[in-house]
Amino acid sequence: MIIEKSIDAHGGAEAWNELETFSLQKESWLYLENGEVESHVFQDIEFRQKPFFEGKLSWEKDSLVHQLIFDGVRTRYWMGENEMQNEGFLANKKKDIDAAYYVLTKPFDLLGGNKNIEYQGVSSLADGREVETVQVIDGDQKDPSVDIWWYYFDKDSFLIVGYKVKTSGHFSMVYNTDWDNSTGIHFPKKRESYRVDSLGNHIYLRAKYGFKSFKVN
């Protein structure tokens, strides 16, 4: 029920299911534990959802244009004029496309696929806000390598306040701090990501993200 209300709050299942393509610009700052900037990247991102999944990420680094493309079958990567051919490298880069898409599709795909969903009641975040909490395990919950996600929903609006994820090496807590509703879909406009302990206590600011120029078709 909470996820269904959140889908409605974010624009509705019908609008999302009719969405063939969407594109945006993403700005990312990664920080070291001492607060220094590790990297600053500005990306153009495009996704096609129908009739099959395609993704394209492009950005500039060290005066070279990088392009990462998945055409539905094959992953390709260019660094300037040079196309990378290493299959292991390309497989890891496909994960980058999947991850970029994964965090932009919530809450619309939370009820699909092989997911174990568990309502965990009302929780308090580090800033004191009380939120509805739903745990989602996407895959075989007996597999220790499978990530565990906790999604936090505003008790009144049912928008996603943020989420915590347990990966194989650490916990992260991501907050949605602003929204873009220019397309009729509630996409994130600003996000902050913290490395946290298992209880959600902040250890340090890991990243900030800005999203803009959303276009849908």
Side-chain angles (χ1 to χ4, degrees), residues 112-144:
N114 180 29
K115 294 182 177 68
N116 181 276
I117 300 173
E118 179 182 296
Y119 174 61
Q120 296 193 334
V122 175
S123 303
S124 294
L125 300 182
D127 60 7
R129 281 181 292 177
E130 290 192 338
V131 290
E132 299 281 7
T133 305
V134 177
Q135 183 191 81
V136 179
I137 302 176
D138 197 351
D140 184 358
Q141 58 182 320
K142 296 180 181 178
D143 184 348

Side-chain angles (χ1 to χ4, degrees), residues 36-212:
E36 292 182 5
V37 176
E38 179 181 355
S39 65
H40 177 212
V41 179
F42 191 89
Q43 291 180 315
D44 291 304
I45 300 175
E46 302 173 34
F47 292 115
R48 176 176 293 278
Q49 302 190 120
K50 297 178 180 182
F52 50 83
F53 177 73
E54 296 178 273
K56 179 180 179 181
L57 280 62
S58 57
W59 66 97
E60 186 175 314
K61 183 180 179 182
D62 300 328
S63 300
L64 284 176
V65 175
H66 295 245
Q67 292 189 77
L68 172 59
I69 297 174
F70 177 71
D71 63 8
V73 177
R74 180 184 177 192
T75 304
R76 304 181 73 180
Y77 185 98
W78 287 268
M79 186 182 300
E81 300 295 323
N82 299 316
E83 183 174 1
M84 306 291 104
Q85 302 291 345
N86 182 280
E87 292 300 322
F89 174 84
L90 293 174
N92 282 327
K93 288 299 178 182
K94 173 58 166 55
K95 294 178 182 178
D96 291 347
I97 290 179
D98 293 340
Y101 181 71
Y102 187 91
V103 297
L104 287 169
T105 59
K106 304 300 174 288
F108 299 102
D109 62 351
L110 285 178
L111 296 178
N114 180 29
K115 294 182 177 68
N116 181 276
I117 300 173
E118 179 182 296
Y119 174 61
Q120 296 193 334
V122 175
S123 303
S124 294
L125 300 182
D127 60 7
R129 281 181 292 177
E130 290 192 338
V131 290
E132 299 281 7
T133 305
V134 177
Q135 183 191 81
V136 179
I137 302 176
D138 197 351
D140 184 358
Q141 58 182 320
K142 296 180 181 178
D143 184 348
S145 67
V146 170
D147 296 343
I148 302 175
W149 301 75
W150 291 265
Y151 290 92
Y152 303 111
F153 301 88
D154 185 276
K155 293 170 63 178
D156 298 317
S157 70
F158 292 96
L159 293 174
I160 296 180
V161 173
Y163 55 84
K164 183 172 72 174
V165 56
K166 177 185 181 296
T167 66
S168 58
H170 62 269
F171 287 85
S172 294
M173 178 69 204
V174 179
Y175 298 92
N176 293 312
T177 61
D178 200 2
W179 295 99
D180 185 306
N181 195 31
S182 59
T183 64
I185 299 290
H186 259 77
F187 284 111
K189 186 175 183 178
K190 293 181 180 179
R191 278 180 171 162
E192 293 181 353
S193 177
Y194 292 83
R195 286 288 171 86
V196 297
D197 61 21
S198 60
L199 298 177
N201 298 309
H202 295 182
I203 299 173
Y204 69 97
L205 175 66
R206 176 55 177 151
K208 287 185 178 180
Y209 305 100
F211 307 85
K212 65 180 183 178

Side-chain angles (χ1 to χ4, degrees), residues 14-44:
E14 183 177 354
W16 179 258
N17 292 334
E18 291 178 351
L19 198 63
E20 292 186 4
T21 66
F22 66 93
S23 62
L24 62 139
Q25 295 177 324
K26 176 183 177 182
E27 192 170 10
S28 305
W29 296 262
L30 295 182
Y31 299 94
L32 300 172
E33 192 167 358
N34 63 7
E36 292 182 5
V37 176
E38 179 181 355
S39 65
H40 177 212
V41 179
F42 191 89
Q43 291 180 315
D44 291 304

